[in-house]
Amino acid sequence: MRISRTFTDLRIWPRRRRMVAAGIAAAALTALTLASGSVAVAGGSLMFPGAVWAYAVTVVGAGLIGLVVASYFDAPIGGEATRCDVRWPVLGA
């Protein structure tokens, strides 16, 4: 698949799906940042004790999580078929 076609598919997403992707990405970024200890408060000031590349990976990962979750909303074939395909291997059934 060509990259330009991928971006075309993202451009035609409905507004609801884009908002879901942004919201989930923001929530995932917050959760990943807090869980990894990438932000610390020492002496009353905010510190970022990690490597620069780790922050970039966290942002990209959160964006990808948002895109995957948003793909279940308003899916052309219906989200139930996609969720079923993903759910059963994860649950081990």
Side-chain angles (χ1 to χ4, degrees), residues 40-47:
V41 178
S45 63
L46 193 61
M47 297 178 53

Side-chain angles (χ1 to χ4, degrees), residues 24-39 54-66:
I24 295 295
L29 180 63
T30 302
L32 290 172
T33 301
L34 293 175
S36 66
S38 297
V39 177
Y55 298 117
V57 169
T58 304
V59 169
V60 170
L64 291 175
I65 290 170

